[in-house]
Amino acid sequence: MAKYITRRLIYMVVSLYLIVTATFFLMRLAPGNPFTSEKKLPPEIEAALNEHFGLNDPWYAQYGDYLLRIAQWDFGPSFKYKTRTVNDLISEGFPVSLALGAQAILIALALGLILGIIAALYHNKWQDYGAMIIAVLGISVPSFIMATVLQYFFAIKWGLLPVARWDSFMHTILPSLALAASPMAFIARLTRSSMLEVLANDYIRTAKSKGLSKGVITVKHAIRNALLPVVSYMGPLSAGIITGSFVIERIFGIPGLGSHFVTSISNRDYTVIMGVTVFYSIILLVSILLVDIAYGLIDPRIKIAGGKKGE
Amino acid sequence: MEKILEVKDLSVSFQTYGGEVQAVRNVNFDLYKGETLAIVGESGSGKSVTTQTIMKLIPMPPGKIKSGQILFEGKDIVPLSDKQMEKVRGKEISMIFQDPMTSLNPTMKIGRQIMEGLIKHQNMSTSSAKERAIEMLRLVGIPMPERRVNQYPHEFSGGMRQRAMIAIALAANPKLLIADEPTTALDVTIQAQILELMKDLQSKMNTSIIFITHDLGVVANVADRVAVMYGGQIVETGTVDEIFYDPRHPYTWGLLASMPSLENDDKSELAAIPGTPPDLTNPPKGDAFAARNPYAMQIDFEEEPPLFQISETHFAKTWLLHPDAPAVEPPDAVKRRMRKLSSTFDKPVLVKGGK
Amino acid sequence: MQQISKDKFQIVGNEGINSEKIEKPSLSFWKDVSIRFRKNKLAMFGIVLLVLLVFFAIFGPYMTEYDYAKNDLMNTNKAPSSEHWFGTDDLGRDVFTRTWEGARISLAIGVLAALIDFTIGVLWGGISGFKGGRVDEFMMRTADILYGVPYLLLVILLMVVLGQSLGTMILAMTITGWINMSRIVRGQVLSLKNQEYVLASRTLGAGLTRIMGKHLIPNTMGPILVTMTLTVPAAIFTEAFLSFLGLGLTPPLASWGTMASDGLPALKYYPWRLFFPATFIALTIFAFNVIGDGLRDALDPRLRK
Ligand SMILES: Nc1ncnc2c1ncn2[C@@H]1O[C@H](COP(=O)(O)OP(=O)(O)OP(=O)(O)O)[C@@H](O)[C@H]1O
Ligand SMILES: [Mg+2]
């Protein structure tokens, strides 16, 4: 296991290095970027930038400098607002985004698993069709449309929940639901198909032959095995939650990191885009690693083989 | 002797895209207390489906019991609900499955898999169930069972998994044990040990056993009676002696001829039965074996043969036993073994109700 | 028992009978797949839906007298009527015309992305699988590392840097999109290599076409088709997402994504401006998803008997 984690850590660092490098050079390509000179900027910002990036240095020095800063957890200044750094934005916005994301992941997992398991247990009955219709809806409607429609009906039209902002628990309901909708649908479908596959396995028949009840078989034999693909979906799930948060935070006026990121995109605030992208990449890579470790803990076959499934 | 199981006129079908697979067609047999019945027949003849139906373990749908009764201790289990079957499965009847690699749950410790049934049916506490699980593992010849109970199936070899499977089935002290090719995955010495083990248990607890196998050598060792299946039907049943020394059905002849000789394994020629098994979605008219039967008569292609009785215990389903049929000589390999058995009737009797 | 004529009891043997012949005629793989697929009502519904959508994408813009890009400031935000079937937007443009104009772009993005993913994926995965050894190692590690790059973030970055055009968008979507495909193809090629070996050693010279027809096509086409079917809606989704972030196509070009995000703020007063593009995005994604699912189920050999 230790060997496996070490190997994964190395991969992670390589991926991260590539991302940072790619971001750096991409930004040099961008029209009107801080690294080219044909731009009109307030002189004081220009001076700050020049100083911060050592723009008079050759590109490799700038690049080395940037890598060093990232390694020291310094994501750089804002190109538009001279008093705020990317680190400020992160420490201000990320806790909010994290709370929203965690709530959405919980909802997506809970509802998705329940729907998927019900659909599989009642394969080809109305429960199955009902659950899958909900799932297909969740997959087919883009999140910004889903969020706007939910907001319109539940908050504006019927006034059941607050329209926007992030103040109380009530404020969190609509955004987390909207953010959870499409991952929930994916989880429901994934759970259903993996449950169906597991239920067709010989060892389920063995369990039946012992006279165990349907409930015990489902809980003790089927679900644990069916959960494995869902666990590996947690990586893409966290990516989906992050990108989904751009949309949701924007629509519900939530002061999270996603919201700041979208603003920086519309402002073409390149240094912020760059810094936040790198930050998000780190978060994602770490969560994928955590998921893989969790997978190893759930599937007893992985521990021994050291990373490869099966014998 | 007391009958523990009577299977009457059982038919089982599977609904598939290609049509209805009639996997088991009008099967009749019975089993006495403490007796071992071997079911033999080539792959796809319906052995597993027949026996899994006895525990109602075939997937339904697509499977369906089309007709018949399964009387276990005199009570028909066909109409029982899943809930009611829970009291039969793993308590009265248990089963050793054919494929040890896939029949164990990969994410549950072996010990737990043995304990589950004990906790459910015998109200054991977790700790006493665990002790019993260790004992069972020791019984089936797994070394260091105290350590092994806490391992997962992937840490067991194929043979050990098969033993674990047997331990699960035996832990329940069932009245009827169904063993679906329990020894095919094992090497010869272990095979012998397992068979010994099963016989041992049988004599201790008077368990009845249905033993499915391809291996006629094993049959001679363990069985009291033999049922030969072909194309979803039982074509011949009798005591071991009757099947080995006085077989009547040409398919049984073929099976015996294809087996290396029992007594003198020198110069034993292995003659495979040519042709392929019948398509069960569209079973042939007449005798299902006709197309592969060198002794086939015109009638075999037209009408299904009735059941003939050759002795108190010996039945065969072939037109060759009809009074009008010509006398034929079985293949040499079989003929060499043929013996006159004292219990045989003067001439075959048509069984009443036989179609 | 009824009397049976004695001459029926002549031994005729099985000489003349070819028992192979009475075997059930085995359906060919694709015929089997198509039968199963056609039994799947939801998937067939998806096909019908898709055919309709494509039909309107082709002919829809010609069904009205309006031009999708022409402003008509006298007729802004008109509700659906016999004149403007889907109403008009804030610049008085006909939503019906724009919807089908947008269908062309959205579908084109989806299909192009799927085709490019397919081409790169098959080449990369195929070469990697066939060459094996170090080449394979290198190509797959590259794919692994690229796979670690968060997809949408990269797309956003590229759109910001390279500017908002159809070309950039497709480039951005496919730059890591092919990886899945290449993995599938490689896996299939590897297993085919083994089968080929077994086959060749058994039936020496079974003919490459036979091996291809019997193993490569059925085993590989299935997952590839399914993946492609599911790439299309993913790309349409991404396009809509980018439009929402303000990184979509620039006006007057219409895609469903830009139309929907333009319609968002108007939801309260002019709901049709969101309703139509949103509904068609959802229907398209729905159609591709159920078709993809149907294909996957129909191809699943475990269900074969
Ligand atoms: N779930 C199912 N769906 C469709 N057909 C099935 C199913 N299970 C079994 N069959 C069919 O029933 C027939 C009998 O199968 P069965 O497994 O009983 O054979 P068997 O005698 O046990 O063979 P083997 O010696 O290979 O185990 C076969 O033709 C098989 O294809
Ligand atoms: Mg079997």
Side-chain angles (χ1 to χ4, degrees):
Chain A
M1 195 74 180
K3 208 170 131 197
Y4 171 61
I5 294 177
T6 319
R7 210 177 68 209
R8 290 299 313 268
L9 274 173
I10 293 172
Y11 270 124
M12 200 179 110
V13 172
V14 174
S15 287
L16 192 63
Y17 167 74
L18 284 177
I19 292 168
V20 173
T21 307
T23 333
F24 179 82
F25 287 105
L26 271 175
M27 283 304 157
R28 289 179 67 89
L29 286 177
N33 73 71
F35 307 101
T36 55
S37 45
E38 339 99 37
K39 66 208 178 228
K40 293 191 206 86
L41 278 178
E44 66 271 24
I45 288 186
E46 183 158 9
L49 276 174
N50 278 337
E51 194 209 335
H52 193 95
F53 288 98
L55 286 189
N56 305 321
D57 296 345
W59 67 267
Y60 49 83
Q62 292 173 28
Y63 172 60
D65 219 38
Y66 186 67
L67 284 183
L68 226 80
R69 277 173 203 284
I70 295 286
Q72 291 162 10
W73 202 253
D74 174 2
F75 295 100
S78 165
F79 178 41
K80 284 273 148 74
Y81 309 99
K82 90 175 169 167
T83 52
R84 286 168 107 199
T85 64
V86 177
N87 286 47
D88 290 340
L89 289 182
I90 291 173
S91 57
E92 193 183 291
F94 187 62
V96 175
S97 296
L98 192 63
L100 171 65
Q103 215 163 308
I105 288 182
L106 281 182
I107 295 176
L109 272 179
L111 290 183
L113 285 174
I114 291 173
L115 282 179
I117 289 169
I118 289 179
L121 290 181
Y122 296 93
H123 186 40
N124 284 339
K125 305 221 171 71
W126 67 265
Q127 292 93 330
D128 185 13
Y129 298 127
M132 283 309 107
I133 286 173
I134 297 177
V136 165
L137 268 181
I139 284 172
S140 306
V141 182
S143 60
F144 68 92
I145 297 175
M146 174 78 79
T148 314
V149 171
L150 283 180
Q151 186 187 43
Y152 178 70
F153 284 105
F154 285 91
I156 298 173
K157 203 151 184 200
W158 302 330
L160 296 174
L161 289 162
V163 178
R165 300 226 315 278
W166 189 255
D167 295 336
S168 68
F169 173 70
M170 294 304 272
H171 286 87
T172 68
I173 296 176
L174 274 183
S176 355
L177 272 179
L179 187 53
S182 102
M184 178 214 67
F186 269 103
I187 292 172
R189 284 157 46 107
L190 195 62
T191 309
R192 173 179 179 267
S193 63
S194 88
M195 264 304 264
L196 284 178
E197 202 176 316
V198 166
L199 287 175
N201 265 319
D202 285 352
Y203 59 79
I204 297 294
R205 190 181 56 200
T206 307
K208 235 187 200 170
S209 81
K210 292 184 228 173
L212 304 179
S213 67
K214 195 172 172 181
V216 170
I217 294 174
T218 307
V219 174
K220 295 220 168 134
H221 290 268
I223 292 184
R224 185 184 173 128
N225 288 294
L227 229 45
L228 294 173
V230 179
V231 172
S232 28
Y233 174 68
M234 295 293 284
L237 170 66
S238 23
I241 291 285
I242 286 181
T243 42
S245 73
F246 303 167
V247 169
I248 301 299
E249 290 180 7
R250 187 84 178 166
I251 288 176
F252 289 96
I254 297 166
L257 189 55
S259 214
H260 293 314
F261 186 57
V262 177
T263 312
S264 68
I265 291 172
S266 355
N267 291 342
R268 294 295 189 269
D269 192 345
Y270 293 109
T271 49
V272 175
I273 297 179
M274 187 154 125
V276 175
T277 304
V278 172
F279 174 75
Y280 275 139
S281 307
I282 295 173
I283 298 291
L284 274 180
L285 289 171
V286 170
S287 46
I288 289 171
L289 179 68
L290 289 180
V291 166
D292 282 354
I293 293 173
Y295 195 98
L297 292 179
I298 294 187
D299 190 343
R301 283 165 297 189
I302 281 185
K303 267 182 228 154
I304 301 271
K308 282 264 148 44
K309 204 171 148 186
E311 305 93 84
Chain B
M1 262 203 300
E2 207 181 323
K3 274 184 191 173
I4 188 159
L5 181 75
E6 283 175 82
V7 173
K8 291 184 173 169
D9 208 29
L10 183 70
S11 295
V12 182
S13 292
F14 293 95
Q15 211 61 52
T16 66
Y17 282 102
E20 186 186 320
V21 180
Q22 301 176 29
V24 173
R25 301 185 289 149
N26 303 98
V27 160
N28 287 284
F29 68 91
D30 37 41
L31 184 69
Y32 294 91
K33 277 225 166 98
E35 187 192 28
T36 301
L37 171 72
I39 301 183
V40 297
E42 65 193 344
S43 194
S45 54
K47 307 182 295 292
S48 298
V49 172
T50 305
T51 47
Q52 283 174 22
T53 308
I54 294 172
M55 289 181 84
K56 302 231 295 186
L57 284 175
I58 50 163
M60 296 193 261
K64 188 167 189 271
I65 300 178
K66 299 289 271 197
S67 70
Q69 286 180 312
I70 301 168
L71 303 179
F72 180 75
E73 297 189 310
K75 196 166 154 239
D76 190 6
I77 60 168
V78 171
L80 293 192
S81 69
D82 245 7
K83 200 84 215 153
Q84 292 166 311
M85 278 309 291
E86 281 169 25
K87 296 198 190 71
V88 177
R89 294 179 187 143
K91 190 174 179 204
E92 311 280 348
I93 312 178
S94 59
M95 183 151 183
I96 302 166
F97 291 97
Q98 198 168 355
D99 188 353
M101 297 318 250
T102 57
S103 294
L104 293 169
N105 183 345
T107 60
M108 189 185 269
K109 287 178 182 162
I110 296 282
R112 265 247 62 96
Q113 301 194 44
I114 303 176
M115 288 154 64
E116 276 183 323
L118 297 171
I119 293 171
K120 160 117 191 185
H121 295 300
Q122 313 195 4
N123 292 323
M124 282 195 189
S125 68
T126 311
S127 58
S128 54
K130 183 152 188 176
E131 244 152 62
R132 174 104 169 113
I134 293 173
E135 190 190 315
M136 287 314 299
L137 285 179
R138 183 172 296 124
L139 197 66
V140 294
I142 288 180
M144 288 186 292
E146 295 83 3
R147 205 162 63 79
R148 292 290 187 175
V149 274
N150 289 322
Q151 291 188 335
Y152 290 96
H154 72 272
E155 297 168 74
F156 276 45
S157 72
M160 279 159 70
R161 285 188 216 185
Q162 186 67 279
R163 287 155 185 249
M165 196 59 236
I166 294 170
I168 291 175
L170 295 184
N173 283 337
K175 292 181 184 150
L176 168 59
L177 175 68
I178 300 171
D180 194 346
E181 304 191 25
T183 54
T184 24
L186 307 178
D187 58 58
V188 185
T189 47
I190 298 172
Q191 229 180 60
Q193 284 173 25
I194 297 278
L195 294 178
E196 216 36 61
L197 181 76
M198 287 174 56
K199 273 200 232 170
D200 221 39
L201 274 152
Q202 183 168 40
S203 61
K204 269 192 217 135
M205 332 233 209
N206 206 25
T207 313
S208 312
I209 300 179
I210 298 179
F211 196 100
I212 299 175
T213 182
H214 286 276
D215 187 348
L216 286 167
V218 174
V219 173
N221 261 326
V222 298
D224 300 313
R225 277 193 305 133
V226 183
V228 180
M229 280 197 86
Y230 183 80
Q233 297 175 316
I234 291 184
V235 293
E236 183 163 8
T237 53
T239 62
V240 170
D241 283 350
E242 284 163 343
I243 297 297
F244 278 85
Y245 303 120
D246 189 20
R248 297 302 178 100
H249 196 284
Y251 176 66
T252 315
W253 293 347
L255 276 185
L256 288 167
S258 69
M259 175 185 78
S261 172
L262 284 182
E263 298 87 10
N264 43 332
D265 15 14
D266 52 293
K267 284 193 219 111
S268 53
E269 68 275 47
L270 233 159
I273 306 173
T276 49
D279 168 23
L280 294 177
T281 41
N282 192 7
K285 199 169 102 189
D287 188 339
F289 186 56
R292 294 166 73 186
N293 181 3
Y295 306 96
M297 298 172 289
Q298 190 54 41
I299 182 91
D300 280 316
F301 294 99
E302 292 170 8
E303 229 168 301
E304 200 180 320
L307 195 62
F308 291 93
Q309 187 168 14
I310 300 111
S311 80
E312 264 323 311
T313 47
H314 193 180
F315 298 83
K317 196 173 153 62
T318 170
W319 282 116
L320 286 177
L321 295 173
H322 191 275
D324 289 340
V328 293
E329 299 261 293
D332 284 346
V334 176
K335 213 167 80 186
R336 245 180 279 134
R337 242 187 329 248
M338 290 285 242
R339 262 178 237 166
K340 182 92 185 117
L341 299 171
S342 55
S343 55
T344 313
F345 296 164
D346 296 338
K347 60 180 188 229
V349 181
L350 183 70
V351 178
K352 267 234 180 72
K355 282 144 278 175
Chain C
M1 189 183 170
Q2 80 274 37
Q3 213 44 54
I4 301 170
S5 125
K6 287 203 180 187
D7 47 303
K8 293 259 168 87
F9 289 95
Q10 295 294 314
I11 301 279
V12 293
N14 61 343
E15 286 309 316
I17 294 140
N18 181 359
S19 56
E20 306 277 337
K21 220 166 51 198
I22 35 181
E23 240 187 317
K24 106 171 162 199
S26 69
L27 292 171
S28 84
F29 179 78
W30 286 104
K31 210 163 162 189
D32 228 20
V33 168
S34 113
I35 289 177
R36 260 199 309 262
F37 185 81
R38 267 181 279 157
K39 280 198 177 167
N40 186 334
K41 291 193 198 83
L42 204 56
M44 287 315 284
F45 178 65
I47 293 273
V48 172
L49 212 58
L50 191 61
V51 168
L52 282 176
L53 284 164
V54 170
F55 174 84
F56 276 104
I58 295 172
F59 299 106
Y62 307 124
M63 289 177 181
T64 61
E65 64 215 69
Y66 307 106
D67 181 72
Y68 80 96
K70 185 127 172 281
N71 298 351
D72 177 3
L73 297 176
M74 304 299 292
N75 281 310
T76 59
N77 291 323
K78 284 270 185 268
S81 66
S82 58
E83 247 163 76
H84 292 282
W85 297 330
F86 289 179
T88 63
D89 67 7
D90 52 345
L91 295 173
R93 295 173 297 198
D94 180 56
V95 175
F96 183 87
T97 319
R98 282 181 74 71
T99 297
W100 300 119
E101 199 57 45
R104 292 179 175 187
I105 292 188
S106 289
L107 287 173
I109 288 172
V111 171
L112 273 176
L115 283 179
I116 295 174
D117 279 1
F118 167 78
T119 314
I120 304 178
V122 167
L123 283 178
W124 195 275
I127 293 173
S128 181
F130 273 119
K131 288 264 174 201
R134 253 194 232 152
V135 180
D136 180 37
E137 180 75 9
F138 171 77
M139 290 177 90
M140 279 302 122
R141 284 302 147 261
T142 315
D144 278 354
I145 287 167
L146 270 180
Y147 197 70
V149 179
Y151 168 73
L152 273 175
L153 284 175
L154 183 66
V155 173
I156 291 173
L157 225 56
L158 285 173
M159 294 301 289
V160 168
V161 173
L162 303 179
Q164 293 154 237
S165 73
L166 199 61
T168 326
M169 195 177 281
I170 289 172
L171 172 76
M173 284 178 190
T174 47
I175 206 158
T176 60
W178 53 272
I179 294 175
N180 242 336
M181 184 70 84
S182 77
R183 285 183 173 172
I184 291 168
V185 174
R186 174 175 172 273
Q188 297 293 348
V189 167
L190 284 185
S191 72
L192 169 80
K193 275 209 316 203
N194 292 337
Q195 280 173 21
E196 198 177 9
Y197 167 75
V198 172
L199 262 185
S201 61
R202 219 195 281 156
T203 59
L204 270 167
L208 192 64
T209 40
R210 194 183 139 83
I211 293 171
M212 296 272 285
K214 262 204 123 117
H215 299 279
L216 184 67
I217 305 292
N219 286 334
T220 318
M221 260 339 267
I224 288 180
L225 256 171
V226 172
T227 312
M228 283 181 75
T229 323
L230 298 176
T231 306
V232 178
I236 293 177
F237 233 111
T238 307
E239 188 273 328
F241 175 79
L242 290 174
S243 303
F244 175 82
L245 295 185
L247 291 172
L249 300 176
T250 41
L253 278 183
S255 72
W256 286 338
T258 54
M259 291 175 70
S261 52
D262 286 347
L264 281 185
L267 176 61
K268 196 163 175 189
Y269 303 106
Y270 316 118
W272 58 88
R273 285 179 46 199
L274 175 64
F275 177 80
F276 291 106
T279 306
F280 289 113
I281 292 177
L283 283 179
T284 310
I285 293 172
F286 171 81
F288 275 106
N289 269 308
V290 294
I291 293 171
D293 286 357
L295 267 179
R296 185 173 18 214
D297 289 352
L299 285 160
D300 194 337
R302 265 166 314 178
L303 297 171
R304 288 188 87 203
K305 247 283 131 83

